[in-house]
Amino acid sequence: MSATYIPLDRAEVVLCLDRRIPAQPGRPMVRVPADAEVQTGGVAVHRVEGQPGYLYYLLDGCIYEQDAGRLDDLPEQIPGAVLTVVPGDIPPDRPPSTTPDFPWDPPVPPEGDATTTPAE
């Protein structure tokens, strides 16, 4: 069994985790060691040699619950990782979205602007 760290852009990781963050207090999470190769990106875990692995998204040194599977055996596969629970002091707001909000109505130029034409 082996784990491979994959560096990814933080915005990409946040986008992939989507509704899984902020994680719910009391839910399981895995903390990777502070000296790990990557603190934000991915960790590919190969549970069975020769079989495809699973990619877990890593955000700020933490792996939260994901579709890749259970977290309870990850510390055995990632050297120095620790299984713990999400603390209750995580702020309730979501991380910034990478998709801009588009207004329904286009902005109206101010009166007297050079781009406006006088009414006839």
Side-chain angles (χ1 to χ4, degrees):
M1 295 183 267
S2 63
T4 305
Y5 288 94
I6 303 159
L8 297 170
D9 182 63
R10 188 174 200 285
E12 185 177 347
V13 172
V14 168
L15 186 65
C16 291
L17 288 173
D18 191 31
R19 295 185 189 137
R20 292 174 178 82
I21 52 175
Q24 297 297 314
R27 301 299 302 164
M29 74 175 195
V30 173
R31 286 194 184 274
V32 300
D35 62 349
E37 298 172 41
V38 173
Q39 288 295 303
T40 297
V43 181
V45 176
H46 301 275
R47 289 189 168 97
V48 179
E49 197 63 41
Q51 295 292 317
Y54 299 91
L55 178 69
Y56 290 88
Y57 290 102
L58 174 66
L59 182 65
D60 301 331
C62 298
I63 299 172
Y64 302 105
E65 291 180 298
Q66 301 168 31
D67 292 339
R70 63 187 201 278
L71 301 180
D72 58 345
D73 68 340
L74 279 185
E76 300 166 12
Q77 323 231 349
I78 302 172
V82 176
L83 179 66
T84 185
V85 296
V86 176
D89 60 351
I90 292 180
D93 56 325
R94 292 178 53 92
S97 173
T98 56
T99 307
D101 294 326
F102 295 103
W104 290 104
D105 297 319
V108 177
E111 233 177 275
D113 188 348
T115 59
T116 60
T117 55
E120 292 183 36

